[in-house]
Every structure is written in structure tokens, then in C-alpha cells.
Amino acid sequence: MFWVLLVAGLAVRYKAGRRRLGGALLLCVPLLDVVLLAATVVSLRDGAEVDVWHGLSAAYLGFTVAFGHQTIQWADEKAGHRFGGAPRVKKPALYGRARIVQEWRSWLRFLLAYAVSCVLLFAMVWFVGGIDRGAPVLVWLNPLTKILIYSLIWPIIVTIRPGRAAEEVPEAEGRP
């Protein structure tokens, strides 16, 4: 539903020309994850058997908190340029210090997503009465931790080798 609401909001905003209604639909995108989490809490409160899929709402909400606004803004800028006559979106840095800062900021977003997701997962375990009943939702700690660790590789590589601008690359001697 994330992508359905996102595309619907952009279509209404730029194709139908209803900027306010499109903006309202775009605001509903992150609210969708809050609704998913609330439905999970209601399900658990009503005595549903706790399983691994209840933890999915916590993972979704963590990533929405960290990346939702940035994703919606990126899509809005692209659609605005293509369909609304807005100026072209500035491209991200490809080299140098700006690139290093950009990659570490991105990783900090992963860290934020991880932290929010973990807090929500442990809150679910507490909510259902402890580890005996809530253990299935903690299965999400494994993939979330792997994503966090694997996402750390790229900023480290870029910090070590940030690249150079095309004009900074020396010409190879003896080339025709």
C-alpha cells in the first residue's frame, strides 16, 4: 500500500492538478505504517497467537521513520520535474568529501531505522507479557541487524576511496 498511496498522491498532485489533495494523500503514506502497527497491537491485545509477522509492522515503521520522508520527497521532486515543470533534481555527490558525508548520513538513517524497529519489537514483547510469548517477533532482530551491518560496508569503502572528479583523474601516458 505504501507505493499505491505514493503513486496515487503524485498522480493526483501532478496529473490531476490537485496539489492539496495530492499532498494529503502523500501524508497518508507514513500514516499507513502507524495503522499497520495499531492493527498489530489490537490483534495482539485481542489474544492472537504471536508470530513472526507481527514483528513486520515494527520493521516497516522503523524504516518509514528513517526513510519515509526522504523517499516521498525524492519521488515528489522526480514527478514534479517530469509532470509539473519543476527544475531538475540536484544529483547526489559522486566523489570527494560531499560523497563521504552523504554515505555516512545514509548509514545513520539505517541506524535510526534499526533503533526504532528494535524499540518497537521489544515493546511488543513487553506488551504480550514477556519473552515466553513474544519471542517470535524477535526473529526480526536477525535480518535487521544484518541490514545494519551490511549497510556499513559502503560508507567505509567510500571513506577509504572517495573517488575524484573527472578533471582530477590524471591522463594515462601513451594513450592515443
Side-chain angles (χ1 to χ4, degrees):
M1 284 300 292
F2 175 90
W3 295 105
V4 171
L5 279 174
L6 181 62
V7 169
L10 294 173
V12 168
R13 180 175 248 184
Y14 294 109
K15 286 300 213 175
R18 310 261 328 257
R19 292 193 58 81
R20 284 188 162 198
L21 179 58
L25 284 171
L26 291 175
L27 283 175
C28 290
V29 174
L31 292 177
L32 179 67
D33 289 340
V34 174
V35 169
L36 175 63
L37 185 64
T40 300
V41 168
V42 168
S43 170
L44 293 173
R45 186 193 65 202
D46 290 344
E49 184 65 33
V50 180
D51 67 6
V52 68
W53 297 110
H54 286 104
L56 182 61
S57 61
Y60 270 142
L61 190 58
F63 278 85
T64 296
V65 166
F67 292 101
H69 178 73
Q70 181 183 15
T71 303
I72 293 169
Q73 182 179 8
W74 171 84
D76 191 33
E77 288 171 351
K78 290 285 190 182
H81 173 68
R82 180 159 174 113
F83 302 113
R88 183 175 288 276
V89 179
K90 182 183 167 194
K91 293 192 178 210
L94 298 176
Y95 53 86
R97 184 172 188 79
R99 174 72 184 272
I100 294 169
V101 169
Q102 173 184 305
E103 295 302 334
W104 281 105
R105 280 187 181 156
S106 179
W107 185 80
L108 288 173
R109 286 186 185 276
F110 275 109
L111 183 61
L112 174 63
Y114 179 80
V116 170
S117 297
C118 288
V119 165
L120 291 172
L121 288 170
F122 284 112
M124 274 189 210
V125 169
W126 171 81
F127 182 75
V128 298
I131 195 78
D132 293 337
R133 185 160 178 246
V137 298
L138 294 180
V139 167
W140 284 98
L141 291 176
N142 184 19
L144 291 172
T145 302
K146 285 179 181 176
I147 290 170
L148 181 69
I149 292 169
Y150 294 154
S151 67
L152 181 59
I153 294 169
W154 193 246
I156 291 172
I157 289 172
V158 170
T159 301
I160 294 168
R161 294 199 48 138
R164 297 188 290 192
E167 60 273 2
E168 294 176 21
V169 177
E171 292 281 330
E173 292 184 31
R175 254 193 185 166

Short mmCIF file of all heavy atoms in Angstrom, two decimals, residues 66-119:
data_model
loop_
_atom_site.label_atom_id
_atom_site.label_comp_id
_atom_site.label_asym_id
_atom_site.label_seq_id
_atom_site.Cartn_x
_atom_site.Cartn_y
_atom_site.Cartn_z
N ALA A 66 12.76 6.46 9.34
CA ALA A 66 14.09 6.84 8.86
C ALA A 66 14.11 7.26 7.40
O ALA A 66 14.82 8.21 7.03
CB ALA A 66 15.07 5.69 9.09
N PHE A 67 13.38 6.56 6.54
CA PHE A 67 13.50 6.79 5.10
C PHE A 67 12.23 7.30 4.43
O PHE A 67 12.27 7.66 3.25
CB PHE A 67 13.92 5.49 4.40
CG PHE A 67 15.30 5.05 4.72
CD1 PHE A 67 15.52 4.04 5.65
CD2 PHE A 67 16.40 5.64 4.12
CE1 PHE A 67 16.81 3.63 5.96
CE2 PHE A 67 17.69 5.24 4.42
CZ PHE A 67 17.89 4.24 5.34
N GLY A 68 11.11 7.30 5.13
CA GLY A 68 9.83 7.66 4.50
C GLY A 68 9.82 9.05 3.92
O GLY A 68 9.48 9.25 2.75
N HIS A 69 10.18 10.05 4.71
CA HIS A 69 10.16 11.43 4.23
C HIS A 69 11.10 11.62 3.04
O HIS A 69 10.74 12.25 2.04
CB HIS A 69 10.54 12.39 5.36
CG HIS A 69 10.59 13.82 4.93
ND1 HIS A 69 9.46 14.54 4.67
CD2 HIS A 69 11.64 14.63 4.68
CE1 HIS A 69 9.81 15.76 4.27
NE2 HIS A 69 11.12 15.85 4.29
N GLN A 70 12.29 11.05 3.15
CA GLN A 70 13.28 11.18 2.07
C GLN A 70 12.76 10.51 0.79
O GLN A 70 12.94 11.05 -0.30
CB GLN A 70 14.58 10.53 2.53
CG GLN A 70 15.70 10.60 1.52
CD GLN A 70 16.95 9.87 2.02
OE1 GLN A 70 16.92 9.09 2.96
NE2 GLN A 70 18.05 10.15 1.37
N THR A 71 12.13 9.36 0.91
CA THR A 71 11.61 8.65 -0.26
C THR A 71 10.47 9.43 -0.91
O THR A 71 10.44 9.58 -2.14
CB THR A 71 11.12 7.25 0.14
OG1 THR A 71 12.19 6.54 0.74
CG2 THR A 71 10.59 6.48 -1.06
N ILE A 72 9.57 9.94 -0.10
CA ILE A 72 8.45 10.73 -0.63
C ILE A 72 8.96 12.01 -1.29
O ILE A 72 8.52 12.38 -2.37
CB ILE A 72 7.43 11.03 0.48
CG1 ILE A 72 6.75 9.73 0.92
CG2 ILE A 72 6.39 12.04 0.01
CD1 ILE A 72 5.92 9.86 2.17
N GLN A 73 9.92 12.66 -0.66
CA GLN A 73 10.49 13.89 -1.21
C GLN A 73 11.17 13.62 -2.55
O GLN A 73 11.00 14.36 -3.51
CB GLN A 73 11.48 14.51 -0.23
CG GLN A 73 12.07 15.80 -0.70
CD GLN A 73 13.04 16.40 0.31
OE1 GLN A 73 13.40 15.78 1.31
NE2 GLN A 73 13.48 17.60 0.05
N TRP A 74 11.94 12.53 -2.62
CA TRP A 74 12.62 12.16 -3.86
C TRP A 74 11.60 11.91 -4.98
O TRP A 74 11.74 12.43 -6.09
CB TRP A 74 13.48 10.92 -3.62
CG TRP A 74 14.05 10.33 -4.87
CD1 TRP A 74 15.18 10.71 -5.52
CD2 TRP A 74 13.47 9.26 -5.64
NE1 TRP A 74 15.36 9.93 -6.65
CE2 TRP A 74 14.32 9.04 -6.74
CE3 TRP A 74 12.35 8.48 -5.51
CZ2 TRP A 74 14.07 8.07 -7.70
CZ3 TRP A 74 12.09 7.50 -6.47
CH2 TRP A 74 12.94 7.31 -7.53
N ALA A 75 10.57 11.12 -4.67
CA ALA A 75 9.55 10.81 -5.68
C ALA A 75 8.80 12.08 -6.10
O ALA A 75 8.49 12.27 -7.28
CB ALA A 75 8.58 9.77 -5.14
N ASP A 76 8.51 12.95 -5.15
CA ASP A 76 7.81 14.20 -5.44
C ASP A 76 8.66 15.10 -6.34
O ASP A 76 8.15 15.71 -7.28
CB ASP A 76 7.45 14.91 -4.13
CG ASP A 76 6.50 16.07 -4.33
OD1 ASP A 76 5.64 16.00 -5.24
OD2 ASP A 76 6.62 17.05 -3.58
N GLU A 77 9.95 15.18 -6.07
CA GLU A 77 10.84 16.00 -6.90
C GLU A 77 10.92 15.44 -8.32
O GLU A 77 10.88 16.20 -9.30
CB GLU A 77 12.23 16.07 -6.29
CG GLU A 77 12.29 16.94 -5.05
CD GLU A 77 13.62 16.84 -4.33
OE1 GLU A 77 14.46 15.97 -4.68
OE2 GLU A 77 13.83 17.63 -3.38
N LYS A 78 11.02 14.12 -8.44
CA LYS A 78 11.08 13.49 -9.77
C LYS A 78 9.79 13.72 -10.54
O LYS A 78 9.82 14.09 -11.72
CB LYS A 78 11.34 11.98 -9.65
CG LYS A 78 12.72 11.63 -9.17
CD LYS A 78 13.73 11.83 -10.25
CE LYS A 78 15.06 11.26 -9.84
NZ LYS A 78 16.09 11.46 -10.82
N ALA A 79 8.65 13.50 -9.88
CA ALA A 79 7.36 13.69 -10.54
C ALA A 79 7.14 15.16 -10.86
O ALA A 79 6.60 15.49 -11.93
CB ALA A 79 6.23 13.16 -9.67
N GLY A 80 7.55 16.05 -9.96
CA GLY A 80 7.41 17.48 -10.20
C GLY A 80 8.19 17.93 -11.42
O GLY A 80 7.72 18.77 -12.20
N HIS A 81 9.38 17.37 -11.60
CA HIS A 81 10.19 17.71 -12.78
C HIS A 81 9.56 17.16 -14.05
O HIS A 81 9.44 17.85 -15.05
CB HIS A 81 11.61 17.19 -12.62
CG HIS A 81 12.44 17.36 -13.85
ND1 HIS A 81 12.84 18.58 -14.32
CD2 HIS A 81 12.93 16.44 -14.72
CE1 HIS A 81 13.54 18.42 -15.44
NE2 HIS A 81 13.60 17.14 -15.70
N ARG A 82 9.14 15.91 -13.97
CA ARG A 82 8.62 15.25 -15.18
C ARG A 82 7.23 15.75 -15.59
O ARG A 82 6.96 15.94 -16.77
CB ARG A 82 8.58 13.75 -14.97
CG ARG A 82 8.05 13.01 -16.16
CD ARG A 82 8.48 11.58 -16.16
NE ARG A 82 7.84 10.89 -17.25
CZ ARG A 82 8.48 10.40 -18.28
NH1 ARG A 82 9.78 10.52 -18.35
NH2 ARG A 82 7.84 9.78 -19.23
N PHE A 83 6.35 15.95 -14.61
CA PHE A 83 4.97 16.28 -14.93
C PHE A 83 4.54 17.69 -14.53
O PHE A 83 3.52 18.17 -14.99
CB PHE A 83 4.02 15.28 -14.26
CG PHE A 83 4.28 13.86 -14.64
CD1 PHE A 83 4.76 12.97 -13.70
CD2 PHE A 83 4.06 13.41 -15.92
CE1 PHE A 83 5.00 11.65 -14.03
CE2 PHE A 83 4.30 12.09 -16.27
CZ PHE A 83 4.78 11.21 -15.32
N GLY A 84 5.30 18.35 -13.66
CA GLY A 84 4.86 19.63 -13.13
C GLY A 84 5.70 20.82 -13.53
O GLY A 84 5.45 21.93 -13.07
N GLY A 85 6.73 20.61 -14.33
CA GLY A 85 7.55 21.72 -14.77
C GLY A 85 8.54 22.24 -13.75
O GLY A 85 9.10 23.32 -13.91
N ALA A 86 8.77 21.49 -12.70
CA ALA A 86 9.75 21.89 -11.68
C ALA A 86 11.16 21.72 -12.23
O ALA A 86 11.38 20.92 -13.16
CB ALA A 86 9.57 21.06 -10.42
N PRO A 87 12.14 22.43 -11.66
CA PRO A 87 13.52 22.25 -12.14
C PRO A 87 14.03 20.84 -11.84
O PRO A 87 13.52 20.15 -10.97
CB PRO A 87 14.31 23.29 -11.35
CG PRO A 87 13.45 23.69 -10.21
CD PRO A 87 12.03 23.41 -10.59
N ARG A 88 15.04 20.46 -12.60
CA ARG A 88 15.65 19.13 -12.44
C ARG A 88 16.21 18.98 -11.03
O ARG A 88 16.75 19.91 -10.46
CB ARG A 88 16.77 18.94 -13.46
CG ARG A 88 17.41 17.57 -13.43
CD ARG A 88 18.42 17.38 -14.53
NE ARG A 88 17.80 17.25 -15.84
CZ ARG A 88 17.32 16.11 -16.33
NH1 ARG A 88 17.36 15.03 -15.60
NH2 ARG A 88 16.79 16.07 -17.52
N VAL A 89 16.09 17.78 -10.51
CA VAL A 89 16.57 17.47 -9.16
C VAL A 89 18.09 17.45 -9.16
O VAL A 89 18.72 16.92 -10.09
CB VAL A 89 16.03 16.09 -8.71
CG1 VAL A 89 16.53 15.75 -7.33
CG2 VAL A 89 14.52 16.08 -8.76
N LYS A 90 18.68 18.06 -8.13
CA LYS A 90 20.13 18.05 -8.00
C LYS A 90 20.62 16.62 -7.78
O LYS A 90 20.10 15.89 -6.94
CB LYS A 90 20.54 18.93 -6.81
CG LYS A 90 22.01 19.03 -6.60
CD LYS A 90 22.32 19.86 -5.36
CE LYS A 90 23.77 19.67 -4.99
NZ LYS A 90 24.05 20.15 -3.66
N LYS A 91 21.62 16.23 -8.55
CA LYS A 91 22.17 14.87 -8.42
C LYS A 91 23.02 14.76 -7.17
O LYS A 91 23.67 15.72 -6.76
CB LYS A 91 23.00 14.52 -9.65
CG LYS A 91 22.15 14.40 -10.89
CD LYS A 91 22.91 13.79 -12.02
CE LYS A 91 21.96 13.66 -13.20
NZ LYS A 91 22.27 12.58 -14.04
N PRO A 92 23.04 13.57 -6.56
CA PRO A 92 23.89 13.39 -5.38
C PRO A 92 25.37 13.46 -5.74
O PRO A 92 25.76 13.24 -6.88
CB PRO A 92 23.52 12.00 -4.88
CG PRO A 92 22.89 11.31 -6.04
CD PRO A 92 22.31 12.37 -6.91
N ALA A 93 26.17 13.76 -4.74
CA ALA A 93 27.62 13.85 -4.95
C ALA A 93 28.16 12.49 -5.36
O ALA A 93 27.75 11.45 -4.84
CB ALA A 93 28.29 14.31 -3.66
N LEU A 94 29.09 12.50 -6.29
CA LEU A 94 29.68 11.26 -6.79
C LEU A 94 31.09 11.01 -6.27
O LEU A 94 31.63 9.93 -6.47
CB LEU A 94 29.70 11.27 -8.32
CG LEU A 94 28.34 11.35 -9.00
CD1 LEU A 94 28.51 11.45 -10.51
CD2 LEU A 94 27.48 10.15 -8.63
N TYR A 95 31.68 12.02 -5.64
CA TYR A 95 33.07 11.88 -5.22
C TYR A 95 33.37 12.87 -4.10
O TYR A 95 32.58 13.77 -3.82
CB TYR A 95 34.01 12.12 -6.40
CG TYR A 95 33.76 13.42 -7.10
CD1 TYR A 95 34.33 14.60 -6.66
CD2 TYR A 95 32.89 13.48 -8.19
CE1 TYR A 95 34.06 15.80 -7.28
CE2 TYR A 95 32.62 14.67 -8.82
CZ TYR A 95 33.21 15.84 -8.36
OH TYR A 95 32.94 17.02 -8.97
N GLY A 96 34.52 12.68 -3.49
CA GLY A 96 35.03 13.63 -2.51
C GLY A 96 34.33 13.64 -1.17
O GLY A 96 33.59 12.73 -0.82
N ARG A 97 34.60 14.69 -0.44
CA ARG A 97 34.08 14.84 0.93
C ARG A 97 32.55 14.82 0.97
O ARG A 97 31.95 14.24 1.86
CB ARG A 97 34.62 16.12 1.54
CG ARG A 97 34.24 16.32 2.97
CD ARG A 97 34.99 17.53 3.55
NE ARG A 97 34.81 17.65 4.95
CZ ARG A 97 35.44 16.94 5.87
NH1 ARG A 97 36.29 16.01 5.50
NH2 ARG A 97 35.22 17.13 7.15
N ALA A 98 31.92 15.48 0.00
CA ALA A 98 30.46 15.51 -0.04
C ALA A 98 29.89 14.10 -0.15
O ALA A 98 28.88 13.77 0.47
CB ALA A 98 29.98 16.36 -1.20
N ARG A 99 30.53 13.26 -0.92
CA ARG A 99 30.08 11.87 -1.08
C ARG A 99 30.24 11.10 0.23
O ARG A 99 29.37 10.32 0.61
CB ARG A 99 30.88 11.20 -2.19
CG ARG A 99 30.62 9.72 -2.36
CD ARG A 99 29.24 9.46 -2.98
NE ARG A 99 28.90 8.06 -3.07
CZ ARG A 99 29.21 7.27 -4.08
NH1 ARG A 99 29.89 7.75 -5.10
NH2 ARG A 99 28.85 6.02 -4.08
N ILE A 100 31.36 11.32 0.91
CA ILE A 100 31.60 10.64 2.19
C ILE A 100 30.51 11.03 3.19
O ILE A 100 29.92 10.17 3.85
CB ILE A 100 33.00 10.97 2.73
CG1 ILE A 100 34.07 10.39 1.82
CG2 ILE A 100 33.16 10.46 4.16
CD1 ILE A 100 35.48 10.87 2.12
N VAL A 101 30.24 12.33 3.30
CA VAL A 101 29.21 12.81 4.23
C VAL A 101 27.84 12.22 3.86
O VAL A 101 27.08 11.78 4.72
CB VAL A 101 29.17 14.36 4.23
CG1 VAL A 101 27.95 14.89 4.97
CG2 VAL A 101 30.45 14.91 4.82
N GLN A 102 27.54 12.20 2.59
CA GLN A 102 26.26 11.66 2.11
C GLN A 102 26.11 10.18 2.49
O GLN A 102 25.05 9.77 2.95
CB GLN A 102 26.22 11.82 0.59
CG GLN A 102 25.08 11.18 -0.11
CD GLN A 102 25.25 11.34 -1.61
OE1 GLN A 102 25.40 12.44 -2.10
NE2 GLN A 102 25.23 10.23 -2.32
N GLU A 103 27.17 9.40 2.32
CA GLU A 103 27.09 7.97 2.63
C GLU A 103 26.95 7.72 4.13
O GLU A 103 26.21 6.82 4.54
CB GLU A 103 28.31 7.23 2.08
CG GLU A 103 28.41 7.24 0.57
CD GLU A 103 27.22 6.62 -0.14
OE1 GLU A 103 26.53 5.77 0.44
OE2 GLU A 103 26.98 7.00 -1.30
N TRP A 104 27.65 8.49 4.95
CA TRP A 104 27.53 8.31 6.39
C TRP A 104 26.16 8.76 6.89
O TRP A 104 25.60 8.15 7.81
CB TRP A 104 28.67 9.01 7.14
CG TRP A 104 29.92 8.18 7.08
CD1 TRP A 104 31.01 8.42 6.31
CD2 TRP A 104 30.17 6.96 7.78
NE1 TRP A 104 31.93 7.42 6.49
CE2 TRP A 104 31.44 6.51 7.40
CE3 TRP A 104 29.44 6.19 8.68
CZ2 TRP A 104 32.01 5.34 7.89
CZ3 TRP A 104 30.01 5.02 9.18
CH2 TRP A 104 31.27 4.61 8.78
N ARG A 105 25.60 9.81 6.30
CA ARG A 105 24.24 10.22 6.67
C ARG A 105 23.24 9.12 6.33
O ARG A 105 22.31 8.87 7.09
CB ARG A 105 23.86 11.51 5.95
CG ARG A 105 24.42 12.73 6.59
CD ARG A 105 23.87 13.98 5.95
NE ARG A 105 24.45 15.15 6.58
CZ ARG A 105 24.57 16.32 6.02
NH1 ARG A 105 24.13 16.51 4.80
NH2 ARG A 105 25.10 17.32 6.68
N SER A 106 23.42 8.52 5.19
CA SER A 106 22.55 7.41 4.80
C SER A 106 22.65 6.26 5.80
O SER A 106 21.65 5.68 6.20
CB SER A 106 22.92 6.93 3.39
OG SER A 106 22.11 5.86 3.02
N TRP A 107 23.87 5.96 6.22
CA TRP A 107 24.04 4.87 7.19
C TRP A 107 23.41 5.25 8.54
O TRP A 107 22.82 4.40 9.20
CB TRP A 107 25.51 4.51 7.39
CG TRP A 107 25.61 3.32 8.29
CD1 TRP A 107 25.43 2.02 7.93
CD2 TRP A 107 25.87 3.32 9.69
NE1 TRP A 107 25.54 1.21 9.03
CE2 TRP A 107 25.82 1.98 10.13
CE3 TRP A 107 26.13 4.32 10.63
CZ2 TRP A 107 26.03 1.62 11.45
CZ3 TRP A 107 26.33 3.96 11.94
CH2 TRP A 107 26.29 2.62 12.34
N LEU A 108 23.51 6.50 8.93
CA LEU A 108 22.87 6.93 10.16
C LEU A 108 21.35 6.78 10.09
O LEU A 108 20.69 6.50 11.09
CB LEU A 108 23.25 8.37 10.51
CG LEU A 108 24.69 8.55 11.00
CD1 LEU A 108 25.02 10.03 11.15
CD2 LEU A 108 24.95 7.79 12.29
N ARG A 109 20.80 6.92 8.89
CA ARG A 109 19.37 6.64 8.71
C ARG A 109 19.09 5.16 8.94
O ARG A 109 18.07 4.80 9.53
CB ARG A 109 18.91 7.05 7.32
CG ARG A 109 18.78 8.54 7.15
CD ARG A 109 18.17 8.85 5.78
NE ARG A 109 18.13 10.26 5.55
CZ ARG A 109 17.16 11.06 5.97
NH1 ARG A 109 16.17 10.55 6.64
NH2 ARG A 109 17.20 12.34 5.71
N PHE A 110 19.97 4.29 8.44
CA PHE A 110 19.81 2.86 8.72
C PHE A 110 19.87 2.60 10.22
O PHE A 110 19.10 1.80 10.75
CB PHE A 110 20.90 2.02 8.02
CG PHE A 110 20.59 1.67 6.61
CD1 PHE A 110 21.29 2.26 5.58
CD2 PHE A 110 19.63 0.73 6.30
CE1 PHE A 110 21.02 1.94 4.26
CE2 PHE A 110 19.34 0.40 4.99
CZ PHE A 110 20.04 1.00 3.97
N LEU A 111 20.77 3.27 10.90
CA LEU A 111 20.89 3.10 12.35
C LEU A 111 19.61 3.56 13.05
O LEU A 111 19.13 2.90 13.97
CB LEU A 111 22.10 3.89 12.86
CG LEU A 111 22.41 3.77 14.35
CD1 LEU A 111 22.70 2.32 14.73
CD2 LEU A 111 23.60 4.66 14.71
N LEU A 112 19.04 4.67 12.61
CA LEU A 112 17.79 5.15 13.17
C LEU A 112 16.67 4.14 12.92
O LEU A 112 15.88 3.83 13.84
CB LEU A 112 17.41 6.51 12.58
CG LEU A 112 16.05 7.08 12.98
CD1 LEU A 112 15.99 7.32 14.48
CD2 LEU A 112 15.76 8.35 12.20
N ALA A 113 16.58 3.63 11.70
CA ALA A 113 15.55 2.62 11.38
C ALA A 113 15.70 1.40 12.27
O ALA A 113 14.72 0.86 12.79
CB ALA A 113 15.64 2.22 9.90
N TYR A 114 16.93 0.97 12.45
CA TYR A 114 17.22 -0.19 13.30
C TYR A 114 16.79 0.08 14.75
O TYR A 114 16.12 -0.75 15.37
CB TYR A 114 18.72 -0.49 13.24
CG TYR A 114 19.16 -1.64 14.09
CD1 TYR A 114 18.98 -2.95 13.65
CD2 TYR A 114 19.79 -1.43 15.31
CE1 TYR A 114 19.40 -4.02 14.42
CE2 TYR A 114 20.20 -2.49 16.08
CZ TYR A 114 20.01 -3.79 15.64
OH TYR A 114 20.41 -4.84 16.40
N ALA A 115 17.15 1.24 15.26
CA ALA A 115 16.83 1.58 16.65
C ALA A 115 15.32 1.64 16.87
O ALA A 115 14.80 1.07 17.84
CB ALA A 115 17.48 2.90 17.03
N VAL A 116 14.60 2.32 15.98
CA VAL A 116 13.14 2.42 16.12
C VAL A 116 12.51 1.04 16.03
O VAL A 116 11.63 0.69 16.84
CB VAL A 116 12.56 3.38 15.06
CG1 VAL A 116 11.04 3.30 15.01
CG2 VAL A 116 13.02 4.80 15.31
N SER A 117 12.94 0.24 15.07
CA SER A 117 12.38 -1.11 14.91
C SER A 117 12.63 -1.95 16.15
O SER A 117 11.73 -2.66 16.62
CB SER A 117 12.98 -1.80 13.68
OG SER A 117 12.63 -1.10 12.51
N CYS A 118 13.85 -1.90 16.68
CA CYS A 118 14.18 -2.70 17.88
C CYS A 118 13.37 -2.26 19.09
O CYS A 118 12.86 -3.11 19.84
CB CYS A 118 15.67 -2.63 18.17
SG CYS A 118 16.68 -3.54 16.99
N VAL A 119 13.22 -0.96 19.27
CA VAL A 119 12.41 -0.47 20.39
C VAL A 119 10.98 -0.98 20.26
O VAL A 119 10.37 -1.45 21.24
CB VAL A 119 12.45 1.08 20.46
CG1 VAL A 119 11.36 1.63 21.36
CG2 VAL A 119 13.82 1.55 20.93
#
